[in-house]
Amino acid sequence: MSRLDRQSFLGPNSDAILDAATIGIVGLGGGGSHLAQQSAHMGIGGYVNADPDIIEDTNTNRLIGGTLADVVVKRRKVDIAERLIRGLVPNARIISAPDTWLTAADDLKLCDVIIGAVDGFQEREQLERFARRHLIPYIDIGMDVHDLGKGGFLVSGQVILSMPGCPCMRCCGFITDERLAQEAKKYGAAGSRPQVVWSNGVLASTAMGLLTQILTPWYPDPPRFVYLDYDGNKGTIIPNKRMTLLKDHVCPHHPPAEAGDPLFDVRTQSFTPRPVTPAERAMWWRRLWNRLLSAFA
């Protein structure tokens, strides 16, 4: 048996598909470190990892793969993620960006899926807009802890799958102008946000399930829009009611005319034909998007 034999139910050539796939992970703290670890266990071969931070002592309650020795030498989070991945996939194709994800934009354009594990609403909206423009599925995860006063604390979070042409994070009410304005007022004074390892793990595992449904032939009808609510106090993840309400909704915030690189000039490009990989054949959402574009033509 190979180390991946027990996931052979994911479908014919699933090992090759996962090895050929490239994912982007933006944010390699509590949630993103789980994603890096689980992706490597699954056998995913390509990574674009972006995070500007180094590990600190307060990260060690949740950053998977990080050690106290890493704190001493001020190791970068992208380097910890790469070490974690190579422990399972020695020949992994890894691009590490120890800076904001914008510095890795050209590499992220080539990803099959981008997963965001960031804190702010503004960065989430920018990531989703980038992914939509380049026809890349975007999965968002995040958690928060709310002080209920005498009622204690509420641990909550979300997992959202945003696919080209389908409802976006504005459509489902997760990102609003009011939230962006409130965040802007608090910018620089919000302080540290409470985080715990188990809730990040639940959200990351849920995101990995969605990623696997998208990439492999395992799931007969991969989801096109997902909005899941996490209640850490009850230990539940349930569909948000908007999933039903927006089932056949066409996103008005990211029209087909906004797809593609605004700086792309076909006259400067050279093209070399190459064989289509199993992973590319599996990218069904690109065929769906092309049909959508034809409908608007």
Side-chain angles (χ1 to χ4, degrees):
M1 293 178 65
S2 75
R3 79 174 189 89
L4 300 178
D5 275 356
R6 293 195 176 186
Q7 63 185 44
S8 60
F9 69 89
L10 295 177
N13 301 316
S14 59
D15 290 359
I17 290 170
L18 292 171
D19 179 67
T22 298
I23 65 170
I25 304 177
V26 179
L28 290 156
S33 62
H34 276 280
L35 292 166
Q37 180 192 48
Q38 293 189 38
S39 299
H41 278 288
M42 293 290 297
I44 290 176
Y47 302 82
V48 179
N49 296 329
D51 195 306
D53 296 334
I54 61 172
I55 187 173
E56 298 178 351
D57 186 60
T58 54
N59 301 144
T60 57
N61 76 319
R62 65 191 185 280
L63 198 154
I64 303 302
T67 67
L68 296 177
D70 291 328
V71 176
V72 173
V73 299
K74 299 181 178 179
R75 199 175 307 281
R76 301 180 302 186
K77 291 181 179 178
V78 291
D79 294 334
I80 295 171
E82 180 167 349
R83 181 180 66 197
L84 189 64
I85 293 166
R86 292 204 186 280
L88 288 160
V89 189
N91 297 321
R93 308 175 304 279
I94 302 176
I95 296 173
S96 296
D99 204 336
T100 68
W101 65 269
L102 292 169
T103 64
D106 286 342
D107 298 307
L108 287 168
K109 291 175 187 177
L110 304 179
C111 289
D112 298 304
V113 181
I114 296 173
I115 311 177
V118 298
D119 291 332
F121 290 105
Q122 183 178 30
E123 190 167 14
R124 282 187 167 95
E125 182 176 51
Q126 291 171 348
L127 265 173
E128 181 184 40
R129 188 169 293 279
F130 173 86
R132 288 287 178 121
R133 178 170 284 280
H134 298 287
L135 308 183
I136 304 170
Y138 174 69
I139 302 175
D140 180 84
I141 69 171
M143 66 154 288
D144 208 347
V145 179
H146 306 275
D147 188 348
L148 302 180
K150 293 182 179 179
F153 294 88
L154 170 64
V155 178
S156 66
Q158 81 289 329
V159 179
I160 298 175
L161 169 62
S162 173
M163 296 285 284
C166 300
C168 69
M169 292 192 287
R170 277 188 175 271
C171 291
C172 65
F174 180 69
I175 289 181
T176 63
D177 290 337
E178 290 75 17
R179 279 184 165 176
L180 291 171
Q182 290 173 3
E183 182 176 81
K185 288 180 181 178
K186 295 178 181 178
Y187 182 76
S192 299
R193 297 180 61 184
Q195 296 278 315
V196 285
V197 69
W198 80 81
S199 56
N200 282 320
V202 171
L203 295 168
S205 294
T206 304
M208 283 303 302
L210 292 173
L211 177 73
T212 307
Q213 290 176 354
I214 292 171
L215 291 178
T216 68
W218 159 53
Y219 212 67
D221 186 19
R224 299 178 182 178
F225 167 60
V226 174
Y227 185 0
L228 303 175
D229 290 322
Y230 171 61
D231 186 326
N233 295 43
K234 296 179 180 178
T236 60
I237 291 186
I238 60 174
N240 186 285
K241 293 180 179 178
R242 290 182 176 88
M243 278 188 66
T244 301
L245 295 174
L246 297 172
K247 183 179 179 181
D248 299 317
H249 179 77
V250 176
C251 174
H253 303 105
H254 304 277
E258 290 186 0
D261 190 336
L263 301 180
F264 177 81
D265 185 349
V266 70
R267 295 169 297 179
T268 66
Q269 307 302 310
S270 61
F271 300 93
T272 302
R274 59 176 176 78
V276 178
T277 67
E280 290 170 325
R281 284 196 294 270
M283 301 299 109
W284 58 269
W285 64 83
R286 298 191 190 278
R287 297 194 296 273
L288 174 66
W289 182 258
N290 289 334
R291 288 199 296 270
L292 185 62
L293 287 176
S294 298
F296 279 93

